[in-house]
Amino acid sequence: GAGVSQTPSNKVTEKGKYVELRCDPISGHTALYWYRQSLGQGPEFLIYFQGTGAADDSGLPNDRFFAVRPEGSVSTLKIQRTERGDSAVYLCASSRDREGYGYTFGSGTRLTVV
Amino acid sequence: QKEVEQNSGPLSVPEGAIASLNCTYSDRGSQSFFWYRQYSGKSPELIMSIYSNGDKEDGRFTAQLNKASQYVSLLIRDSQPSDSATYLCAARLIKAAGNKLTFGGGTRVLVKP
């Protein structure tokens, strides 16, 4: 596609529920990144995929968070047993696999845990 | 110490003046630096990248990099009310995998007519 697409744009869920957030990267981009941004803060790195594999998942806060990219394109971020502290905007970005290039973010998913 | 640091602001600038934003980073070996603009409720938008010491100009924006002092700055000339946004500094740290970027907390800029 022309840009990075994220769905849903907004998600409200109850504490303890499971949620899935989807990211469809720019066509041909092999690298995909998930970030989380809380109000008034900069984006915080969660996980980076190169192709189908997670090249760096050091930013995932705990084992309730998991992400997959089974075919090297669309990625899903999965959060189990959601907590109110998980409320944030989840941003996805993609880039070509060459290092040193800035990347394009999707419009984000605003997750609210009530 | 955060890996990428910015003054949170707000930086209040009269219309037509120069806005000067600063960013420092802790990883001396970092090579690539980026400035993103983020309007309220929107996602970050890449506006500048810089890789070498010195200045890089693009329209009303100038990025400056000083690797010896480990800082990056962004100048916005002839500031307009539409420049009111949060500006995020990002660095690709030398230890980072792939193109992973580390972001500062952002500087909020208010341009007053």
Side-chain angles (χ1 to χ4, degrees), chain A:
Chain A
V4 178
S5 176
Q6 291 188 247
T7 54
S9 56
N10 279 286
K11 177 70 177 179
V12 180
T13 190
E14 292 180 347
K15 180 176 176 296
K17 298 290 187 183
Y18 167 83
V19 296
E20 289 189 351
L21 312 180
R22 175 189 167 105
C23 173
D24 195 345
I26 293 172
S27 179
H29 281 189
T30 57
L32 184 147
Y33 306 81
W34 284 99
Y35 284 78
R36 176 169 71 173
Q37 187 174 26
S38 300
L39 191 64
Q41 299 186 20
E44 172 193 19
F45 172 77
L46 295 176
I47 186 168
Y48 152 53
F49 286 92
Q50 182 59 47
T52 60
D56 182 351
D57 64 357
S58 61
L60 295 177
N62 52 59
D63 62 5
R64 296 185 299 104
F65 288 76
F66 189 72
V68 295
R69 196 186 184 198
E71 298 179 356
S73 179
V74 171
S75 176
T76 305
L77 178 65
K78 308 180 180 192
I79 310 174
Q80 298 178 319
R81 304 183 304 280
T82 51
E83 300 177 357
R84 292 196 178 87
D86 298 335
S87 297
V89 175
Y90 289 79
L91 295 165
C92 177
S94 70
S95 74
R96 299 186 186 279
D97 58 3
R98 288 174 292 175
E99 297 176 352
Y101 287 79
Y103 35 67
T104 302
F105 283 98
S107 56
T109 294
R110 181 176 299 278
L111 175 66
T112 304
V113 182
V114 297

Side-chain angles (χ1 to χ4, degrees), chain B residues 34-80:
Chain B
F34 306 87
W35 284 98
Y36 283 78
R37 177 175 63 198
Q38 186 172 29
Y39 292 113
S40 181
K42 302 294 186 182
S43 60
E45 169 195 12
L46 179 65
I47 56 172
M48 289 285 289
S49 60
I50 187 165
Y51 311 107
S52 304
N53 278 329
D55 295 1
K56 179 181 178 183
E57 187 174 317
D58 184 358
R60 295 187 295 111
F61 297 102
T62 298
Q64 299 173 319
L65 174 59
N66 184 323
K67 292 185 179 179
S69 299
Q70 295 176 234
Y71 81 77
V72 192
S73 61
L74 180 70
L75 301 179
I76 308 173
R77 290 183 300 282
D78 188 24
S79 296
Q80 301 297 308

Side-chain angles (χ1 to χ4, degrees), chain B residues 79-92:
Chain B
S79 296
Q80 301 297 308
S82 59
D83 295 326
S84 297
T86 295
Y87 290 80
L88 297 162
C89 172
R92 182 180 169 271

